Amino acid sequence: LSIIELWNPLQMMSTLWIIILFIIKNRLPNKISAILIGMKLFVSFVAILNMHIVDVVELCRYIALILAIDYFTEYFIQLVKVLMLVFEFLVYLNLYDLLHTERDIYGVFYSALGYDNDFTKYMLCACFIALLYNLITTKKIRSVALIIACHITLLYAGVGTGITSLIVMDIVSLVRFLNLGNTTVLQSFIVYLSAEFLIVFARVQNLFSFIIVDLLGKDLTFTGRTDVWSNSIKRIFDHILIGHGDMNQMTEYLVLGDVYCHNGFLEILFRGGIIHLILFIVLILILDNAMKNTFDTYTITMCSVVFWGIWVTSITESIYQYGIVMMIPALIYAGCKYIRYNYGD
C-alpha cells in the first residue's frame, strides 16, 4: 500500500488513539473542545437523519485535531512552536509552488494548498499562529516573515476576500499598536452579526450602487452570491431547528444548488439550524469570558485580531466547518488553561 492509500486509515486511527489517551488518563474534554466536537457530531447526526453521506475521514480528522490540542494543553508552549514550524512549511512551500504555477484556463491558481480561494483559511490560521508565537516567545522576525508571506500569497493569487480579511486584521492590529483602542472576540462577533444583517438580509449595499457599480465597476451581487444567499435562506427554513446536516460539497450542491452557502452565518443555520447557531454563540461567550479572566487587554486584542479576519471572510465564504479554523478557539482556550494552571488566577 502507498502512503496515499494509508493516509485516510491513519487519520481515523489517530482519532481512536487520542480518545484512548483521554480514557487512560481519565480525562474529559474541556468546555470548548466539548462544544466544538458536539457541534460537529450534531450536524453529522442530522446529515444521517436526512439520508446524506457523512465524510467520516474529515469528521475523524476534525475530532483528532481538537482533542489533540486539548490533551497537550500542559505542553502549550511546545505545541505553539511545533505549529509555527508546520505553518511556516505550509505557507512557504505553497508560496514557492504558487510563484512557479500559471493560472488554468479559468484563471484559477492550483498549488500545494489547492484551489486559490482555499488559501484564505490557511493564511488566516498562519497569521494567528505567528501572532501567538510572537506573544509567547517575543521572536518577531519569524512571526513578521510568516505574516508577510501570507499577504504576498493572497495578493499574488488575487484572492479578494482573503486580501480584505488581512487588511482588516492589519487595521485592528495597527489601532492597538498606536494605543488607539482594544477589541475582544465578543465585540468583533457583535459587529459581524450586524454586518450579516445589513449585507445578507437587508442588502444595504444596494444603497451604494453609485459607488460599487459606477465608480468601482463591481456588481452588487458579490459575483452571484446574493442569489445563493436567497436560495440558502429558503432551504434553511425547510429545517430551521436542526438544519440539513454536515455534508460534502457534491451532496450540498444537490441539496442547495451550490457547493455551499457562500456565507458563514447561513452555513451554520443550513447545516445545523437554530440549535447549531446557539451552540456557536455559547462557544463565543465562553471563549470571550475565559480570555477576559486570563489575559491582559493587549493579549486579548492580539488573539482577537484573527476573528475580525474570520468574520470578514464569512460574509462571502464559509470556513467554520474546517478543523484548521476551529482549532483557533481551541488553542486560545488551551492557552487560558495553561496560564491558569501554571501561574494561577
Side-chain angles (χ1 to χ4, degrees):
L1 293 175
S2 67
I3 294 178
I4 295 177
E5 291 173 318
L6 288 172
W7 183 241
N8 285 348
L10 285 173
Q11 291 182 82
M12 299 174 72
M13 288 173 60
S14 67
T15 306
L16 179 61
W17 176 242
I18 196 70
I19 292 174
I20 291 173
L21 287 177
F22 268 86
I23 295 173
I24 292 173
K25 292 287 186 178
N26 195 27
R27 284 180 53 180
L28 291 173
N30 62 45
K31 294 177 183 177
I32 292 296
S33 297
I35 294 175
L36 288 170
I37 294 173
M39 289 169 63
K40 193 69 172 178
L41 290 175
F42 174 72
V43 294
S44 297
F45 177 70
V46 173
I48 294 172
L49 285 180
N50 289 324
M51 306 298 289
H52 299 313
I53 298 173
V54 175
D55 189 338
V56 178
V57 174
E58 193 274 333
L59 174 63
C60 289
R61 182 168 59 240
Y62 180 99
I63 293 174
L65 179 59
I66 301 303
L67 287 181
I69 292 171
D70 188 340
Y71 185 81
F72 293 108
T73 294
E74 59 186 298
Y75 305 104
F76 181 74
I77 303 297
Q78 293 91 328
L79 180 61
V80 173
K81 290 180 178 179
V82 170
L83 286 172
M84 182 67 176
L85 286 172
V86 170
F87 275 95
E88 283 176 322
F89 174 77
L90 288 175
V91 172
Y92 294 141
L93 174 64
N94 183 72
L95 181 56
Y96 174 83
D97 193 20
L98 181 64
L99 294 174
H100 292 81
T101 301
E102 295 183 358
R103 295 182 185 272
D104 64 13
I105 58 174
Y106 301 104
V108 174
F109 278 115
Y110 285 91
S111 56
L113 290 178
Y115 170 51
D116 55 19
N117 262 7
D118 282 339
F119 294 170
T120 301
K121 61 178 178 286
Y122 293 104
M123 299 305 120
L124 289 175
C125 294
C127 287
F128 169 72
I129 295 299
L131 291 171
L132 199 58
Y133 182 80
N134 180 63
L135 285 171
I136 66 173
T137 66
T138 67
K139 295 181 179 178
K140 300 186 184 300
I141 295 178
R142 286 178 63 186
S143 298
V144 171
L146 183 57
I147 291 172
I148 290 174
C150 291
H151 282 69
I152 294 173
T153 298
L154 294 178
L155 284 168
Y156 186 83
V159 184
T161 301
I163 294 168
T164 305
S165 299
L166 289 188
I167 289 174
V168 170
M169 289 173 62
D170 292 340
I171 292 172
V172 175
S173 300
L174 182 61
V175 167
R176 179 60 188 86
F177 180 76
L178 297 175
N179 290 318
L180 297 176
N182 297 296
T183 188
T184 66
V185 172
L186 184 57
Q187 288 173 352
S188 69
F189 185 62
I190 292 172
V191 173
Y192 165 61
L193 290 180
S194 302
E196 284 281 358
F197 174 77
L198 292 172
I199 296 174
V200 178
F201 294 95
R203 306 288 167 89
V204 70
Q205 64 271 17
N206 293 340
L207 299 176
F208 301 94
S209 61
F210 65 95
I211 296 177
I212 298 173
V213 178
D214 299 336
L215 296 180
L216 299 179
K218 304 292 183 178
D219 69 280
L220 297 174
T221 67
F222 293 99
T223 321
R225 285 171 172 80
T226 52
D227 292 334
V228 179
W229 295 345
S230 298
N231 188 41
S232 299
I233 293 170
K234 292 178 183 177
R235 297 311 305 268
I236 285 168
F237 278 100
D238 292 341
H239 297 278
I240 186 64
L241 184 62
I242 63 172
H244 293 264
D246 200 11
M247 58 190 81
N248 58 36
Q249 289 188 346
M250 185 57 68
T251 306
E252 190 158 348
Y253 184 84
L254 295 175
V255 176
L256 181 63
D258 206 303
V259 292
Y260 52 90
C261 297
H262 282 287
N263 178 270
F265 183 79
L266 295 180
E267 194 73 33
I268 289 174
L269 287 169
F270 178 79
R271 290 178 180 246
I274 293 175
I275 294 176
H276 197 208
L277 177 61
I278 291 172
L279 288 172
F280 190 83
I281 292 173
V282 171
L283 172 78
I284 297 298
L285 293 174
I286 292 176
L287 184 64
D288 185 76
N289 184 65
M291 292 171 68
K292 288 177 180 176
N293 291 332
T294 308
F295 300 148
D296 56 37
T297 54
Y298 175 78
T299 304
I300 290 173
T301 296
M302 297 317 293
C303 287
S304 301
V305 164
V306 68
F307 285 93
W308 285 93
I310 291 172
W311 305 144
V312 171
T313 300
S314 299
I315 295 295
T316 57
E317 303 294 343
S318 176
I319 56 177
Y320 299 135
Q321 65 268 34
Y322 298 107
I324 196 171
V325 175
M326 299 313 285
M327 79 172 188
I328 292 175
L331 272 171
I332 293 175
Y333 195 75
C336 293
K337 293 200 69 176
Y338 176 84
I339 290 175
R340 287 190 173 188
Y341 179 79
N342 289 278
Y343 304 104
D345 296 331

